[in-house]
Amino acid sequence: MPSSLPNAAAIAATRQRLSQFSCLTTPPTLTTAEATQVRDDLRYFNEWSDYQTLGICASSLAEGQRSLELFLAALGIAVSLDLPDRDGAIYLKFNTLKGAWYLDDYSGPSRGVLITFHTSEPETAELAGTYGPFPFDLFADPSALAT
């Protein structure tokens, strides 16, 4: 976490932008500008959070695993998961604090990536929450990845 305190107005504005995705079953198609803003917003909350939990509902294991690895790389976490083969739609959850994952079959209509930001600091309490669903390929562009 950075040494200076976050700007409360910036947290509120970021939260408002990310909250527009709440209650969607599938992620919307984003313009290039919208996708850039969402990536920036997720990185901003990542900078101030203690850890994250990602939940992915995907039509296949390959789609879910690829999007998880892209999102984690964009959040500055390198991981290569050796997941068991599975056919059909899946639910994949990953906790960045523990490095733990959970994988199961999924029969619901939802698709996309959810991110929950966790924080223990009162100054950043307003950013805590679950956001999404976001498109699987939000961080697929190599120039969109964290440096």
Side-chain angles (χ1 to χ4, degrees), residues 11-59:
I11 287 177
T14 301
R15 184 176 176 91
Q16 183 175 14
R17 284 191 301 270
L18 292 177
S19 292
Q20 71 178 316
F21 298 96
S22 296
C23 301
L24 297 176
T25 303
T26 58
T29 301
L30 301 175
T31 65
T32 301
E34 290 168 334
T36 298
Q37 183 66 62
V38 170
R39 287 190 294 264
D40 291 346
D41 288 343
L42 293 175
R43 284 193 194 99
Y44 180 68
F45 273 13
N46 180 64
E47 180 179 340
W48 292 103
S49 65
D50 296 333
Y51 71 99
Q52 309 76 34
T53 306
L54 286 84
I56 299 172
C57 295
S59 297

Side-chain angles (χ1 to χ4, degrees), residues 44-136:
Y44 180 68
F45 273 13
N46 180 64
E47 180 179 340
W48 292 103
S49 65
D50 296 333
Y51 71 99
Q52 309 76 34
T53 306
L54 286 84
I56 299 172
C57 295
S59 297
S60 71
L61 177 60
E63 179 179 54
Q65 184 169 354
R66 177 168 166 19
S67 63
L68 176 66
E69 290 172 354
L70 288 170
F71 270 73
L72 289 175
L75 298 177
I77 300 164
V79 66
S80 179
L81 299 177
D82 185 22
L83 300 174
D85 288 336
R86 193 169 292 255
D87 291 327
I90 57 99
Y91 172 71
L92 176 59
K93 184 175 182 178
F94 188 85
N95 179 311
T96 63
L97 178 66
K98 299 177 181 178
W101 57 269
Y102 170 82
L103 175 65
D104 205 349
D105 294 331
Y106 178 73
S107 60
S110 296
R111 295 292 183 267
V113 179
L114 297 173
I115 301 178
T116 303
F117 292 97
H118 305 271
T119 182
S120 59
E121 299 298 324
E123 298 85 8
T124 57
E126 289 300 312
L127 70 81
T130 301
Y131 304 93
F134 301 108
F136 296 117

